[in-house]
Amino acid sequence: MERCPDTDVSVSDMKPQQTRSRGSLKIFFGYASGVGKTYSMLRAAHEAKSRGIDVVAGFVDTHGRAQTTQLLHGLESLRTRKMDFESGLKREFDLDAALRRSPRLILVDELAHTNVPGCRHTNRYQDVEELLRAGIDVYSTVNVENIESLNDMVAAITGEAAKDRILDSVFDEAAQVELVDVEPEELIERLQAGEIYQDEKEKEEAAELFTLDKLTALREIALRRCADRINKMTELVQAKSRRGYFTDEHILVCLSSAPSNAKIIRTAARMAKAFHGEFTALFVETSDFSVMEEEDKERIRVHMRLAQQMGAKIETVFGEDVAFQISEFARLFGVSKIVVGRAGAKRNRLFGKPTLTEKLISYASGIDIYIIPDKYAAVYRARRAKRESEAFSLADMSKGAAALVAATLAGMVIEKLGFSEANIITVYILSVLATSVIVSKRMYSLIFSAINVVVFNFFFVTPKYSLTAYDSGYPITFLVMFLAAFITSSLAVRLKNHVKQSAQTAFRTQILFDTNQLLQQEKEKEGIVNITANQLIKLLSRDIVYYPVEKEQLREP
């Protein structure tokens, strides 16, 4: 008999220490009858007894196996209850006797067993739960077929569904799970040697299940289920400690309006399938989304639908720094690999801003970043830049001109009062800042940053009403003035975008909060539909048409 050390994991290392007011459950888990679950449980009981622990056998079914029966010697055993059943008298675990005896550790075999009518609880795992609440530790056994979520899968292999089952939560919340594992070939040899079933009829019935292919499949399911349990415990600890490590693959693909984004999504989907990992598609909505052309918005929606069809979970976050939002999402949700297009990895200018990939590497240094070739990216960016440069706003030009005229008039007043040029420069910088706040497009704030410098030179620098300057220090003054105006305008635009985005997020949150409250108060179907439709209208600014469905047919809207 083999023991898989990797799956004999104690929750004590992963959960807060349990108080003595509640007992702990250890499950001996196997993929088929005869692997040695009860035998391993009894050996562990003798080890515990040798350490001075008060051990009692509450209910142990040896199935007549000599080696297992021999291990019962030396352990105190409780009497079982004899209950009337359809087939005659049946032995059942005596819960009340166990509670009266109150040992430190009790053995209760076959955790998934369904009790005979007349017992206090329907299932034995409910008996065990009462023991745990009383502060008694419990050893028990479970087969892979007894876990609720695996029942159908196992039935497809064995041809028969198990009647006795436990909830997945009982298995996952156990303090320890020890996988009792043997090679399928050895298990078949045990069956043929009569070590599992002594009755010939039982042996013949078991022979149909005990084939190499079926036992191998059941063994794989048991191993996977143990691994899943460990992953869940690890995720719990990771969430509590907020550490950036991960044990399972989680692929994150970044959504955009680029035409080649579909290729990136498909590549990420293949990676997720190959790694048997979780797949998430993330869209970072910036302030530019509201002014994005409808063609690009529609392309984003198409890409979201494609990702969903490929099995991705769609998530949306809001923020101006796309790389930071991606890296924070990846850190919080345990992403192991990020997939982006090559456009985000290519810098256009020698002194250009850091690329998306460079920022991601800086923000998320512990996560693998995969760059997918994107041959259409340069064409796409150029086409967008051309559309933006062609846009003209008379309102923004008027606002900027008004701020410029006001600054010039104020400068003339300051000059008449005899103040220095430094004060006039401050007024023009204030004009640039005001322009950045009142215009809708950043382009105009940058344009008026340069125009303010030129106008200051024309009206207030000697010789006046020209673009020349006698003082050799003025070029430096102009440069500093332009940089100050440029930086303040950029910061003002960024701040304004953050304010808009925060307001949008607050509005959406309020809508969802109101929807939750309204739906809780409404009981009628028509009212629920009306509330949902009205809230969607507020959220999406679109008309909503509701079509009821009756007998799989659409009715009048």
Side-chain angles (χ1 to χ4, degrees), residues 294 297 301 533-545:
E294 191 59 37
K297 289 183 179 179
R301 288 190 285 268
N534 287 326
Q535 295 301 98
L536 285 173
I537 290 172
K538 294 178 184 179
L539 193 63
L540 304 176
S541 299
R542 294 289 188 273
D543 293 334
I544 303 294
V545 179

Side-chain angles (χ1 to χ4, degrees), residues 10-117:
S10 173
V11 185
S12 60
D13 297 331
M14 299 190 171
K15 294 182 179 179
Q17 285 293 329
Q18 294 174 330
T19 63
R20 187 64 193 98
S21 60
R22 180 177 174 84
S24 63
L25 171 64
K26 179 173 182 178
I27 294 176
F28 294 83
F29 184 54
Y31 66 88
S33 299
V35 296
K37 301 182 297 298
T38 305
Y39 183 87
S40 298
M41 179 179 71
L42 289 169
R43 285 188 60 184
H46 280 284
E47 292 175 5
K49 185 178 179 181
S50 67
R51 297 195 301 270
I53 296 175
D54 181 20
V55 182
V56 168
F59 184 95
V60 177
D61 191 349
T62 63
H63 297 283
R65 296 162 191 161
Q67 291 181 334
T68 307
T69 303
Q70 187 176 0
L71 280 175
L72 264 177
H73 298 316
L75 294 176
E76 178 186 347
S77 297
L78 294 180
R79 290 186 178 182
T80 57
R81 295 178 63 189
K82 293 183 179 180
M83 307 285 293
D84 289 327
F85 195 54
E86 298 171 356
S87 57
L89 293 177
K90 190 171 183 180
R91 292 192 310 126
E92 289 290 349
F93 170 58
D94 193 336
L95 175 60
D96 290 323
L99 290 171
R100 285 193 300 269
R101 173 61 177 80
S102 189
R104 179 67 178 80
L105 171 64
I106 190 168
L107 313 183
V108 184
D109 209 359
E110 298 180 0
L111 184 63
H113 172 74
T114 302
N115 293 331
V116 171

Side-chain angles (χ1 to χ4, degrees), residues 87 127 138 178 248 280 318 326 358 412 434 436 441-442 494 509-510 515:
S87 57
D127 295 337
V138 179
E178 180 178 318
D248 199 6
T280 301
F318 306 92
I326 293 171
E358 289 172 339
M412 290 178 177
S436 303
K441 297 184 179 179
R442 185 178 182 180
R494 184 174 297 181
T509 303
Q510 185 62 45
T515 304

Side-chain angles (χ1 to χ4, degrees), residues 204-277:
E204 290 176 5
E205 291 176 352
E208 297 180 6
L209 169 63
F210 281 53
T211 62
L212 186 60
D213 57 337
K214 290 182 179 180
L215 292 177
T216 301
L218 293 174
R219 186 188 190 198
E220 179 181 358
I221 294 172
L223 288 167
R224 287 184 181 276
R225 188 61 184 84
C226 283
D228 289 343
R229 177 180 176 273
I230 294 174
N231 287 339
K232 289 178 182 178
M233 292 189 296
T234 305
E235 288 171 4
L236 177 64
V237 150
Q238 184 175 347
K240 289 181 178 179
S241 63
R242 296 185 178 180
R243 295 178 181 173
Y245 62 83
F246 53 86
T247 58
D248 199 6
E249 297 295 351
H250 184 176
I251 312 301
L252 177 68
V253 64
C254 304
L255 297 175
S256 74
S257 59
S260 58
N261 193 232
K263 175 185 177 183
I264 298 167
I265 293 169
R266 286 191 287 267
T267 303
R270 288 196 298 272
M271 289 176 61
K273 186 175 181 180
F275 286 116
H276 302 285

Side-chain angles (χ1 to χ4, degrees), residues 111-334:
L111 184 63
H113 172 74
T114 302
N115 293 331
V116 171
C119 294
R120 184 184 310 172
H121 300 295
T122 306
N123 300 99
R124 186 167 289 167
Y125 68 81
Q126 294 171 316
D127 295 337
V128 168
E129 174 61 28
E130 190 168 338
L131 293 172
L132 297 175
R133 288 198 300 267
I136 302 172
D137 294 340
V138 179
Y139 283 180
S140 191
T141 60
V142 172
N143 259 345
V144 68
E145 66 189 33
N146 300 131
I147 297 180
E148 184 70 47
S149 64
L150 303 178
N151 189 254
D152 293 333
M153 191 184 301
V154 173
I157 297 171
T158 62
E160 185 177 355
K163 296 179 181 178
D164 299 332
R165 299 191 290 272
I166 63 170
L167 301 175
D168 286 60
S169 59
V170 175
F171 184 82
D172 290 327
E173 293 172 8
Q176 288 180 274
V177 172
E178 180 178 318
L179 178 66
V180 183
D181 186 42
V182 296
E183 293 293 335
E185 292 88 347
E186 182 181 343
L187 191 58
I188 294 173
E189 291 176 2
R190 288 185 185 180
L191 176 69
Q192 294 173 346
E195 296 178 6
I196 299 176
Y197 297 110
Q198 282 70 42
D199 186 78
E200 290 298 325
K201 184 179 180 181
E202 289 181 337
K203 189 187 298 185
E204 290 176 5
E205 291 176 352
E208 297 180 6
L209 169 63
F210 281 53
T211 62
L212 186 60
D213 57 337
K214 290 182 179 180
L215 292 177
T216 301
L218 293 174
R219 186 188 190 198
E220 179 181 358
I221 294 172
L223 288 167
R224 287 184 181 276
R225 188 61 184 84
C226 283
D228 289 343
R229 177 180 176 273
I230 294 174
N231 287 339
K232 289 178 182 178
M233 292 189 296
T234 305
E235 288 171 4
L236 177 64
V237 150
Q238 184 175 347
K240 289 181 178 179
S241 63
R242 296 185 178 180
R243 295 178 181 173
Y245 62 83
F246 53 86
T247 58
D248 199 6
E249 297 295 351
H250 184 176
I251 312 301
L252 177 68
V253 64
C254 304
L255 297 175
S256 74
S257 59
S260 58
N261 193 232
K263 175 185 177 183
I264 298 167
I265 293 169
R266 286 191 287 267
T267 303
R270 288 196 298 272
M271 289 176 61
K273 186 175 181 180
F275 286 116
H276 302 285
E278 189 177 349
F279 184 28
T280 301
L282 178 68
F283 175 61
V284 181
E285 183 174 326
T286 65
S287 57
D288 294 333
F289 181 76
S290 59
V291 296
M292 189 179 291
E293 295 210 359
E294 191 59 37
E295 178 186 350
D296 293 331
K297 289 183 179 179
E298 178 59 27
R299 196 179 290 118
I300 289 174
R301 288 190 285 268
V302 169
H303 292 160
M304 284 184 175
R305 286 195 295 269
L306 174 63
Q308 200 166 27
Q309 292 168 356
M310 301 295 289
K313 181 181 179 183
I314 308 299
E315 299 286 353
T316 302
V317 295
F318 306 92
E320 292 301 313
D321 191 339
V322 176
F324 178 76
Q325 294 296 330
I326 293 171
S327 62
E328 279 298 287
F329 182 91
R331 182 182 66 83
L332 292 172
F333 290 90

Side-chain angles (χ1 to χ4, degrees), residues 256-501:
S256 74
S257 59
S260 58
N261 193 232
K263 175 185 177 183
I264 298 167
I265 293 169
R266 286 191 287 267
T267 303
R270 288 196 298 272
M271 289 176 61
K273 186 175 181 180
F275 286 116
H276 302 285
E278 189 177 349
F279 184 28
T280 301
L282 178 68
F283 175 61
V284 181
E285 183 174 326
T286 65
S287 57
D288 294 333
F289 181 76
S290 59
V291 296
M292 189 179 291
E293 295 210 359
E294 191 59 37
E295 178 186 350
D296 293 331
K297 289 183 179 179
E298 178 59 27
R299 196 179 290 118
I300 289 174
R301 288 190 285 268
V302 169
H303 292 160
M304 284 184 175
R305 286 195 295 269
L306 174 63
Q308 200 166 27
Q309 292 168 356
M310 301 295 289
K313 181 181 179 183
I314 308 299
E315 299 286 353
T316 302
V317 295
F318 306 92
E320 292 301 313
D321 191 339
V322 176
F324 178 76
Q325 294 296 330
I326 293 171
S327 62
E328 279 298 287
F329 182 91
R331 182 182 66 83
L332 292 172
F333 290 90
V335 171
S336 59
K337 291 176 173 54
I338 300 175
V339 184
V340 297
R342 190 169 60 185
K346 192 175 180 181
R347 185 180 293 194
N348 293 329
R349 299 175 298 279
L350 181 61
F351 299 104
K353 294 180 180 180
T355 64
L356 174 66
T357 305
E358 289 172 339
K359 288 184 176 181
L360 280 175
I361 292 172
S362 175
Y363 291 146
S365 57
I367 300 175
D368 297 337
I369 299 174
Y370 290 78
I371 303 169
I372 310 303
D374 187 356
K375 64 181 180 180
Y376 300 107
V379 178
Y380 172 70
R381 287 197 303 271
R383 189 165 64 248
R384 286 193 63 185
K386 184 178 179 182
R387 288 201 298 266
E388 291 173 358
S389 64
E390 290 174 351
F392 176 78
S393 173
L394 179 61
D396 283 348
M397 287 295 292
S398 301
K399 293 174 184 177
L404 179 61
V405 170
T408 303
L409 294 174
M412 290 178 177
V413 172
I414 291 172
E415 187 181 41
K416 289 289 184 182
L417 295 175
F419 291 102
S420 65
E421 292 175 352
N423 296 286
I424 301 174
I425 291 174
T426 305
V427 171
Y428 274 98
I429 292 177
L430 181 62
S431 169
V432 172
L433 184 60
T435 302
S436 303
V437 173
I438 60 180
V439 299
S440 60
K441 297 184 179 179
R442 185 178 182 180
M443 174 179 62
Y444 293 102
S445 66
L446 301 181
I447 291 173
F448 280 99
S449 296
I451 294 177
N452 273 269
V453 175
V454 174
V455 172
F456 168 75
N457 183 22
F458 187 80
F459 284 103
F460 300 103
V461 175
T462 305
K464 293 183 179 181
Y465 312 116
S466 72
L467 298 179
T468 59
Y470 289 155
D471 193 331
S472 60
Y474 268 118
I476 300 299
T477 302
F478 296 153
L479 177 61
V480 172
M481 181 180 172
F482 174 75
L483 290 176
F486 176 79
I487 292 171
T488 51
S489 65
S490 299
L491 292 175
V493 170
R494 184 174 297 181
L495 179 61
K496 184 173 65 175
N497 289 335
H498 277 302
V499 170
K500 286 182 178 179
Q501 199 163 55

